[in-house]
């Protein structure tokens, strides 16, 4: 159609010459900025990541220390891809630990929500957990897509050890559990004195077989790091020998069967000599003089007289 110029006059349109074809015109158009790349599914990402990790291992072996830097960078990129696939930490399960120990274990694990699950160093995590005083040994397992399981064997709390004005909880090997608050373990036996923690595990199982005696015992006292005294709740004392404690406790049981000595009360029982059991009876309590008290009350002058 002819173009219309100013004033309404017609201007013949000249045919436009075709521009010479450019070699670049045959290239495919570049992707528009901001276009969305096709998203890989988790299975594809795992396959790609596995190949990349294998390649990174080969590079590390071939190039030595420089390859380690390359491998670290590749590992970080792979962890990011795992995160994109949805393998991010959502839940931490702690198995085998008490309610008191669990918070310290989770704190030592030092993992956070949305961490790339497959990027976690499980060996380093296990070592951190095993440094917690509650823990004897640990095992760490990841469950895809979003769960971490920390299974521990907790140290068995044996007693509260009191020494040098300080009280701590010890395990059955005499090791201190620093995170354990003794105030939370009032049901554990009390062990007192130097060397008590080291040797408590040797005698407490023997005493535990005698619940009647344990119920009356207030503390197990280590004497000169050689032998034990049993301090009873009523203030009485049972002195055990340095060796053959179980034999001495059997003598005490026979004595109690004959005389009910544990119920009647005593001041001291000396079991240090295997041939002789020495019993010191409790001193009788003085009877109050009721007559003198009554007389004093009668003859006392009234206040203000």
């Amino acid at each position: 159609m002819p173009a219309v110029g100013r004033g309404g006059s017609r201007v013949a349109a000249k045919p436009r010459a075709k521009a010479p074809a450019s070699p670049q015109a045959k290239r495919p158009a570049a992707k528009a900025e901001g276009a969305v790349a096709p998203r890989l599914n988790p299975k594809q990402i795992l396959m790609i990541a596995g190949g990349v990790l294998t390649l990174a291992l080969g590079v590390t072996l071939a190039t030595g220390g420089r390859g380690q830097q390359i491998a670290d960078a590749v590992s970080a990129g792979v962890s990011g891809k795992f995160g994109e696939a949805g393998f991010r930490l959502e839940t931490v399960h702690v198995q085998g630990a008490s309610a008191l120990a669990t918070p310290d274990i989770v704190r030592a694990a030092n993992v956070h929500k949305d961490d790339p699950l497959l990027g976690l160093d499980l060996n380093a995590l296990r070592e951190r957990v095993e440094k917690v005083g509650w823990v004897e040994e640990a095992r760490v397992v990841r469950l895809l897509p979003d769960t971490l399981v920390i299974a521990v064997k907790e140290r068995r709390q044996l007693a509260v050890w009191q020494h040098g004005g300080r009280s701590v909880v010890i395990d059955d090997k005499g090791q201190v559990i620093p995170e354990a608050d003794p105030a939370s373990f009032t049901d554990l036996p009390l062990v007192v004195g130097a060397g008590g923690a080291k040797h408590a595990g040797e005698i407490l199982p023997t005493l535990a077989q005698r619940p009647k005696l344990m119920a009356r015992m207030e503390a197990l006292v280590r004497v000169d790091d050689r032998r034990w005294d049993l301090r009873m709740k009523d203030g009485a004392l049972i002195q055990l020998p340095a060796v053959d404690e179980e034999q001495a406790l059997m003598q005490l049981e026979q004595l109690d069967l004959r005389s009910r000595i544990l119920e009647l009360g005593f001041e001291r029982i000396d079991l240090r000599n295997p041939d002789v059991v020495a019993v010191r009876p409790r001193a009788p309590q003085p009877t109050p003089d009721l007559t003198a008290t009554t007389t004093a009350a009668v003859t006392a002058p009234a206040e203000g007289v």
Side-chain angles (χ1 to χ4, degrees):
M1 180 179 178
V4 180
R6 292 185 181 181
S9 60
R10 293 179 182 271
V11 179
K14 296 182 181 179
R16 295 182 179 179
K18 290 184 178 181
S22 171
Q24 297 178 353
K26 297 180 180 180
R27 295 180 182 177
K31 187 181 297 182
E33 186 177 356
V36 179
R39 187 176 183 83
L40 299 176
N41 61 43
K43 183 177 180 180
Q44 291 172 318
I45 289 178
L46 283 174
M47 294 175 63
I48 295 171
V52 172
L53 288 176
T54 303
L55 176 61
L57 177 60
V59 171
T60 301
L61 295 175
T63 62
R66 290 179 300 169
Q68 183 60 50
Q69 298 177 357
I70 299 173
D72 291 342
V74 170
S75 178
V78 169
S79 295
K81 287 298 182 184
F82 286 145
E84 291 177 9
F87 301 128
R88 292 190 177 276
L89 182 61
E90 291 289 338
T91 306
V92 177
H93 287 306
V94 179
Q95 298 178 350
S98 63
L100 291 174
T102 297
D104 292 316
I105 292 170
V106 173
R107 192 178 303 113
N110 193 28
V111 292
H112 306 88
K113 189 176 183 297
D114 290 333
D115 282 348
L117 188 59
L118 291 175
L120 296 177
D121 186 339
L122 298 191
N123 285 331
L125 198 157
R126 175 183 54 78
E127 290 174 0
R128 292 197 299 271
V129 170
E130 288 182 342
K131 289 180 181 178
V132 178
W134 298 103
V135 178
E136 183 173 343
E137 61 183 28
R139 188 168 58 94
V140 182
V141 178
R142 52 186 153 215
L143 299 178
L144 298 180
D146 57 8
T147 302
L148 188 71
V149 178
I150 303 175
V152 304
K153 180 181 179 182
E154 187 172 332
R155 296 187 187 278
R156 186 171 72 87
Q157 298 89 42
L158 179 70
V160 173
W161 179 39
Q162 189 177 88
H163 176 58
R166 180 168 171 257
S167 296
V168 294
V169 177
I170 58 173
D171 68 3
D172 52 359
K173 296 181 177 62
Q175 299 296 315
V176 175
I177 303 175
E179 297 89 352
D181 181 6
S184 301
F185 292 91
T186 55
D187 57 330
L188 291 180
L190 176 63
V191 175
V192 180
K198 181 179 178 181
H199 297 283
E202 301 167 2
I203 190 171
L204 278 173
T206 303
L207 290 172
Q209 298 173 8
R210 296 163 170 85
K212 183 179 180 180
L213 181 62
M214 285 287 287
R216 289 171 166 79
M217 188 181 76
E218 179 183 24
L220 182 62
V221 182
R222 187 71 175 170
V223 180
D224 298 329
D225 201 10
R226 292 182 58 254
R227 63 175 194 84
W228 296 101
D229 280 349
L230 308 185
R231 190 172 70 205
M232 313 306 282
K233 293 178 181 178
D234 62 359
L237 195 67
I238 300 175
Q239 297 175 295
L240 297 180
V243 295
D244 294 333
E245 294 100 336
E246 186 167 10
Q247 180 64 33
L249 291 171
M250 290 174 63
Q251 288 180 309
L252 178 62
E253 286 178 316
Q254 293 171 2
L255 176 62
D256 186 53
L257 286 174
R258 292 195 303 266
S259 63
R260 296 167 52 205
I261 187 70
L262 293 179
E263 297 178 21
L264 297 175
F266 55 91
E267 184 174 328
R268 178 177 299 186
I269 299 179
D270 190 346
L271 300 169
R272 290 176 292 177
N273 187 340
D275 299 323
V276 178
V277 177
V279 179
R280 181 184 297 177
R282 190 180 299 280
Q285 297 295 325
T287 304
D289 190 349
L290 299 178
T291 304
T293 304
T294 305
T295 303
V298 171
T299 59
E303 186 177 355
V305 176

